[in-house]
Amino acid sequence: MNDAGAIDDAEAAARDRPGLGDIFKVFLMAGAISFGGGVLAYLREFLVRDHGWLDDDDFLDALEVSETLPGLNSVNMSVIVGDRMRGAIGAAVAAVGLMLPGMVVMMTLGVLWEQQRHNPEVGHFLVGVAASAVGLLLTVTLQLGHKQFVRPLDLMIIAATFVAVSVFKVSLGWVLLVMGPVAIWLYRPRGAVETAERFTHLRDRFHSHRSHWRH
Amino acid sequence: MHKLISLAWVFALLGILAVGGGTAVLPEMQRMTVSQFHWVTDKQFRDIYSLGQVAPGPNMLMVMVIGYRVAGYLGSAIVAFAFFVPDCLLTLFANRMWLRYSESPWRHAIQRAMAPISIGLMLSGTYAIAQLSIHNLMSFAIAAATLSVLMWRRVNPLLLISVGGLAYLVFFVATAHSATP
C-alpha cells in the first residue's frame, strides 16, 4: 500500500516465507479446481484466507497491476505473488503450478476433439458451451466494469474501444497504441485531488471485487 | 519449420497484446488464426474456445489446441511457450518497477486509463464469441439464461456451461427426431 507497509511486509515475508513446494501445491490446486474464469476467486481464498500469505489490500494491489499489464490476469497474479514469496523461482513455480492441470486436461480434450470433431453431437454440445460462455463473459465484464460503466468518460473510452475493434475491425495493436496514450492523457495526474480520488477508487475496487467474489 | 516460426511470433504477439486478459485478445486471435493464417476455421475456433471453458485453470490454455492442430504436440508446446513466457517475464520485471514507483501519480493514471480500455476489449471478445455461437433462439436463450442465473447468484461456471452445452445438444437431437418420424 505504501512504503512503510511494503517494508513491514518484506520483513514479515522474510521471517516465514512459504517453501517452493507449498507455493506449487497451492497454485496447482487453484489451477485444478477453477473453471470458467474463476481462478482469481480461488487464489484469493487460498492466498488470503487459508494461508494468510497476503492480506486483502496486497491482493487487490497485485490484482490491479495484473489487470493493467498484458497477459492473463490469473497468470500475472501467480507471477507477482510467487515473486513476492520466493523471487523469480517462486514466480515460475507458481505460474507452472497454476497452468499444469489445465494444460494436461486441455491437451487431452484437444486430442479427443481432433478425433471426434466431425461428430455432430460433439459440435452441438460445444455450440451450447460457447453460447453459455457468452452469458458468463458478459457477467464477468459487467461485474469487473461496474464502476466504469457509470462514469461518462470511462463509458466513452469503453464505447470507442468496442466500436474500433468490433465494428471497424481495427487491429488490436493500433487500438492500444492510440487509445492507451489518449486515455492516460485524459487521466493524467492533476495535483492534490488525485490522492483523495485514489483512496476512493481503491475503496470502490475493494467493494466491487468483494461483491464479485462473495456470492 | 516456417509454420512453427509463424506460430511462435503470432502467439507471442497475441500474448503481448492481451491487455485486459484473455478475453480482450480474442477478436485479434480469431482474425490472425482464422482469416490471416487459416490455421483453423471460425467453427473450429469456437469449438476450441469451448474446450477451454470445460478445462480447469485459465481458459486461454486453449491456444495449445490451436498449436496442436497446426503442428502436433510440438506446435502446442511452442504456442504455450510463446503465449505465456514473454508475458510472465514482462510481469515479473514490470511489477518490480511498479512497486518502486508505487507513489507516483502516473501509476494511478495508467491504471485508471487502462481499466475502461480493458472493459471495452472484453466486450469485443464477448461479442466475437457471440457472433460465433448465437445463431438461433435456443443459443440466445442459453446465453440469456446463463447471464440471468449468474446475476442472481453464484453458481459453479462448469455446471452452468455443461448444462448450456447439454441443453443445446438435447434441443437438436429432439428437433431432428421430430423432423424424421
Side-chain angles (χ1 to χ4, degrees):
Chain A
M1 205 43 93
N2 51 41
D3 279 334
I7 291 161
D8 287 348
D9 289 344
E11 281 171 0
R15 244 182 287 122
D16 47 0
R17 294 197 303 174
L20 290 174
D22 296 328
I23 296 174
F24 185 71
K25 259 189 282 178
V26 165
F27 281 89
L28 190 76
M29 183 64 98
I33 63 174
S34 56
F35 288 92
V39 186
L40 288 168
Y42 280 108
L43 281 184
R44 179 171 174 274
E45 201 173 314
F46 291 159
L47 297 172
V48 178
R49 213 197 54 193
D50 295 354
H51 291 272
W53 290 348
L54 298 171
D55 63 29
D56 247 326
D57 282 342
D58 295 335
F59 188 86
L60 292 179
D61 248 14
L63 185 61
E64 277 199 327
V65 179
S66 299
E67 286 170 348
T68 307
L69 291 172
L72 310 189
N73 297 338
S74 54
V75 177
N76 288 350
M77 267 313 265
S78 314
V79 169
I80 291 172
V81 175
D83 182 36
R84 205 184 146 115
M85 304 287 146
R86 283 271 164 170
I89 308 278
V93 163
V96 169
L98 184 83
M99 290 195 280
L100 198 58
M103 282 181 167
V104 173
V105 176
M106 198 64 231
M107 284 313 293
T108 311
L109 289 174
V111 172
L112 287 175
W113 172 79
E114 268 303 327
Q115 293 162 1
Q116 292 293 318
R117 68 194 167 82
H118 296 298
N119 179 339
E121 275 152 24
V122 171
H124 290 323
F125 178 77
L126 291 176
V127 173
V129 167
S132 205
V134 171
L136 182 67
L137 290 175
L138 204 53
T139 312
V140 172
T141 309
L142 292 174
Q143 280 171 343
L144 209 65
H146 83 281
K147 296 304 301 180
Q148 279 81 19
F149 279 114
V150 294
R151 282 200 208 103
L153 183 59
D154 280 343
L155 197 57
M156 265 158 36
I157 298 173
I158 291 173
T161 308
F162 176 80
V163 168
V165 173
S166 292
V167 181
F168 293 107
K169 311 283 179 198
V170 180
S171 83
L172 182 55
W174 285 111
V175 173
L176 290 174
L177 275 178
V178 175
M179 292 302 294
V182 168
I184 291 170
W185 183 78
L186 288 169
Y187 280 115
R188 68 195 178 278
R190 271 172 293 196
V193 196
E194 284 302 316
T195 320
E197 243 187 44
R198 175 168 158 76
F199 280 115
T200 335
H201 174 61
L202 271 178
R203 207 186 53 222
D204 292 345
R205 288 300 298 248
F206 181 71
H207 289 304
S208 79
H209 280 296
R210 243 189 156 163
S211 58
H212 181 51
W213 285 322
R214 279 292 154 80
H215 41 223
Chain B
M1 193 61 206
H2 178 68
K3 247 181 190 174
L4 296 180
I5 294 169
S6 305
L7 271 181
W9 79 257
V10 165
F11 279 93
L13 180 67
L14 288 170
I16 295 297
L17 290 176
V19 175
T23 309
V25 82
L26 279 174
E28 187 73 7
M29 188 182 291
Q30 186 192 3
R31 200 174 66 80
M32 294 192 88
T33 59
V34 179
S35 319
Q36 199 173 337
F37 285 90
H38 309 288
W39 285 331
V40 286
T41 65
D42 268 335
K43 275 185 181 169
Q44 289 165 355
F45 185 82
R46 175 198 64 207
D47 285 359
I48 293 173
Y49 180 77
S50 297
L51 292 179
Q53 294 290 321
V54 186
N59 300 332
M60 279 299 129
L61 288 171
M62 65 94 165
V63 294
M64 294 177 71
V65 179
I66 299 181
Y68 179 73
R69 257 203 82 68
V70 177
Y73 289 106
L74 183 60
S76 54
I78 286 175
V79 166
F81 191 87
F83 191 66
F84 293 110
V85 173
D87 277 339
C88 286
L89 290 175
L90 184 70
T91 300
L92 185 68
F93 294 112
N95 179 56
R96 288 177 177 181
M97 246 170 59
W98 218 241
L99 292 176
R100 197 170 310 155
Y101 296 110
S102 61
E103 290 306 297
S104 161
W106 283 100
R107 173 184 158 164
H108 177 51
I110 293 170
Q111 285 178 344
R112 278 288 295 271
M114 293 322 284
I117 295 176
S118 301
I119 299 296
L121 293 175
M122 286 175 75
L123 278 182
S124 290
T126 307
Y127 182 68
I129 299 301
Q131 279 187 314
L132 291 174
S133 62
I134 298 181
H135 295 136
N136 54 32
L137 204 58
M138 186 61 189
S139 44
F140 181 80
I142 289 171
T146 307
L147 179 69
S148 320
V149 169
L150 284 171
M151 286 288 168
W152 166 54
R153 60 177 303 171
R154 181 111 181 124
V155 180
N156 186 334
L158 180 65
L159 180 71
L160 267 182
I161 274 170
S162 309
V163 169
L166 285 176
Y168 200 75
L169 175 59
V170 166
F171 168 76
F172 260 90
V173 171
T175 47
H177 187 70
S178 63
T180 50

